[in-house]
Amino acid sequence: MVPPVIGLTGGIGSGKSTALAAFERRGAAVLSSDDVVHRLYREADVAAAVVERFGRELLDEAGEVDRAILRERAAADPGGFSFLEGLIHPRIEGARTAWIDRQRGLQPPPPLLVCEVPLLFEVGLEAAFDAVLVVTASEGVRRARVQDRGQNFEHLASRQLPEQEKAGRASSYFTNDGDLEGLDAWVDERFEEFAVSTE
Ligand code: ATP
């Protein structure tokens, strides 16, 4: 059987990456959009496009794009984030499609494919997946997790759909306000629900 492709999303600090790691431990093949973006910024044409728009100062000593400086530059430039989205989003789509094809071509393919896509609903990608799962958490919990990492919760959250709306559009959602065992148990159930036998 062809393994289904699940889109995994949720707000900033909700626990998406933690859930993705749990799916991987269960035997799913997983793809993180954030890792894809890291790889894309190392590609020569992407690096050249951001240097042309935002200046050479955003390259680090190794000549690679420093994403913290890039974020600052993009925030200070009207239309900066739209420019980056136009540059990066189509390339993420291409990388994901190629990854899915590669995974499904393996012998045997993995029983389930899971892609973490932070802005899945915002970018309108529901139709790209067989099912969409949402990990959410209450705002106070998410804010504390994000602030622990020294990031600005308000700024990041302002560009995302409300959590309730995402949960309402999901095949299944989990409110990750409790301990990690609860999240793992939900991932186990979803794995049982969607994984197929590919032997
Ligand atoms: P982002 O959108 O910022 O990438 P995310 O949704 O991927 O965040 P994670 O990175 O998985 O979220 O989790 C944020 C932080 O919260 C991490 O440090 C993670 O270890 C911790 N965390 C996630 N779930 C729980 C939980 N149930 N109990 C305790 N800590 C948790």
Side-chain angles (χ1 to χ4, degrees), residues 11-18 116 145-146 149 151 176 178-180 183:
I12 172 97
S14 60
K16 299 179 293 295
S17 306
T18 308
E116 179 194 358
R145 287 178 185 156
V146 170
R149 295 189 308 221
Q151 293 179 331
N176 184 28
D179 57 18
L180 289 170
L183 180 62

Side-chain angles (χ1 to χ4, degrees), residues 31 33 92-101 115 117 125 129:
L31 183 70
S33 294
I92 303 181
E93 305 306 295
R96 183 185 312 113
T97 307
W99 178 81
I100 291 169
D101 288 347
C115 302
V117 184
L125 285 175
F129 299 99

Side-chain angles (χ1 to χ4, degrees), residues 41-44 46-52 54-67 69-70 73:
Y41 279 119
R42 285 199 213 103
E43 290 182 3
V46 174
V50 294
V51 164
E52 192 189 337
F54 300 107
R56 297 202 67 78
E57 299 76 27
L58 53 73
L59 295 181
D60 63 18
E61 283 157 18
E64 289 187 357
V65 173
D66 182 319
R67 287 180 66 196
I69 301 178
L70 177 61
R73 289 288 166 110

